[in-house]
Amino acid sequence: MRFGLLTIWLLFLLALPLSAKKERKPGYEPLFGKAQAAYKVTSSSLKGATFYLVSGHGGPDPGCIGKYQGHELHEDEYAYDIILRLGRELMKRGAKVHFIIQDAKDGIRNQAILKNSKRETCMGKAIPLNQVARLKQRCDAVNALYRKDKGRYKRAIFIHVDSRSRRNQTDVFFYHAPGSSKGRVLTRELQRTFQSKYRQHQPNRGFDGSVSERNLYVLRNTAPVAAFLEVGNIQNAQDQKRLVIPNNRQALANWITEALVKDYKRNK
């Protein structure tokens, strides 16, 4: 009889959810790098949401290149660092996150100068040099995951760095797909959140980041509602501070996360 009771008790324990047996261990994402691979889910504000995060260029294509204190700034490295930081914030809030562009070595980095590499892959597959093939590859990856993922709220976020005249300082600006009403709502929320943050942190500066629709390949050819962000002019000295200061890259990730939480609540 004693053995029977013990067996029943063990079966009962096995049937309990993990959280009932012991505190759930922190999550772990190797792409974040050793120092930040472990994370704790601190809220459920994005539980049920799915995100497809795509940093621009990568592999054989560094994107645009800026000059800073005798060093080169490569677009793909900074876009990737911001994407990782964004993904970590989203996951801490309970979201499901897919990193479409990945680097097995470079996690979240706290240096000003991010060294360039060509290791990035599209979820393990070599990135083509040909532009159309490269863009098609990442769109196909997003769409394949989109078809498998359950849930109503699914969003793709593309992050790039612009390149203009050195004199041309730009705020973060946002694109959505032509005719996408939900994409317009999402990018407007991003814009409003950035405006609010600039009023809070730089009240005399203002924020001029625009929202517009644009007929970009990745916006036309991905199934999820999408937002495309250009986070600054890699040639401009003031915009470069947005990239080379790690806390500024983290602030970008935090502000984007805040906007996504608002958009999710609106669409639940």
Side-chain angles (χ1 to χ4, degrees):
M1 177 63 73
R2 185 177 300 172
F3 179 77
L5 289 173
L6 178 61
T7 301
I8 292 171
W9 177 245
L10 288 173
L11 289 172
F12 172 74
L13 285 176
L14 290 172
L16 287 174
L18 181 60
S19 59
K21 286 181 274 186
K22 61 179 180 178
E23 186 176 344
R24 192 181 295 274
K25 292 182 179 180
Y28 191 85
E29 174 49 71
L31 288 174
F32 297 151
K34 291 182 180 179
Q36 300 201 57
Y39 67 92
K40 289 185 178 180
V41 177
T42 56
S43 85
S44 59
S45 58
L46 287 170
K47 185 177 181 180
T50 302
F51 296 95
Y52 311 89
L53 304 186
V54 191
S55 54
H57 305 276
D61 175 25
C64 58
I65 299 174
K67 297 288 186 181
Y68 175 80
Q69 297 183 357
H71 300 278
E72 289 188 346
L73 306 181
H74 289 232
E75 174 183 3
D76 65 328
E77 301 298 334
Y78 289 90
Y80 183 64
D81 189 74
I82 296 166
I83 278 285
L84 290 181
R85 292 171 185 270
L86 171 60
R88 194 170 189 271
E89 294 305 315
L90 298 175
M91 293 166 77
K92 285 164 61 178
R93 290 157 177 81
K96 181 178 183 180
V97 174
H98 298 289
F99 296 96
I100 305 304
I101 304 304
Q102 302 179 358
D103 186 319
K105 182 177 179 180
D106 288 336
I108 294 171
R109 291 174 280 176
N110 288 317
Q111 295 80 32
I113 307 303
L114 303 183
K115 293 182 179 180
N116 187 53
S117 75
K118 298 182 179 181
R119 286 186 301 269
E120 296 89 3
T121 68
C122 180
M123 303 195 79
K125 296 180 180 179
I127 298 174
L129 180 60
N130 177 269
Q131 183 185 27
V132 174
R134 183 174 68 248
L135 298 179
K136 182 178 185 301
Q137 181 190 53
R138 57 195 64 191
C139 289
D140 289 346
V142 169
N143 292 340
L145 292 166
Y146 177 86
R147 289 191 293 269
K148 294 178 182 178
D149 285 325
K150 298 179 181 179
R152 292 176 55 252
Y153 187 90
K154 296 182 272 191
R155 297 292 185 267
I157 306 295
F158 298 87
I159 291 184
H160 283 249
V161 186
D162 200 23
S163 181
R164 303 185 179 193
S165 165
R166 288 180 181 273
R167 297 187 299 274
N168 194 341
Q169 183 180 0
T170 64
D171 284 331
V172 180
F173 53 98
F174 315 92
Y175 295 130
H176 60 82
S180 173
S181 58
K182 289 185 177 180
R184 183 171 60 253
V185 169
L186 171 58
T187 49
R188 290 289 185 193
E189 187 60 70
L190 285 160
Q191 181 192 45
R192 282 193 297 270
T193 300
F194 273 67
Q195 287 171 337
S196 173
K197 295 300 181 182
Y198 271 81
R199 283 195 298 269
Q200 177 183 350
H201 297 288
Q202 299 186 56
N204 298 319
R205 181 188 182 280
F207 178 78
D208 296 322
S210 61
V211 167
S212 58
E213 62 178 38
R214 190 169 177 189
N215 193 30
L216 297 174
Y217 185 100
V218 295
L219 293 176
R220 287 198 321 270
N221 292 282
T222 45
V225 174
F228 188 108
L229 287 71
E230 295 276 11
V231 298
N233 175 12
I234 205 167
Q235 309 298 342
N236 180 266
Q238 291 301 313
D239 285 6
Q240 286 174 345
K241 294 178 183 178
R242 204 174 298 149
L243 301 175
V244 300
I245 298 174
N247 284 345
N248 287 348
R249 300 198 295 271
Q250 185 61 45
L252 288 171
N254 293 345
W255 298 355
I256 296 168
T257 299
E258 186 172 320
L260 293 173
V261 169
K262 294 174 185 176
D263 189 66
Y264 180 51
K265 288 180 179 178
R266 182 185 296 110
N267 286 274
K268 283 182 72 173

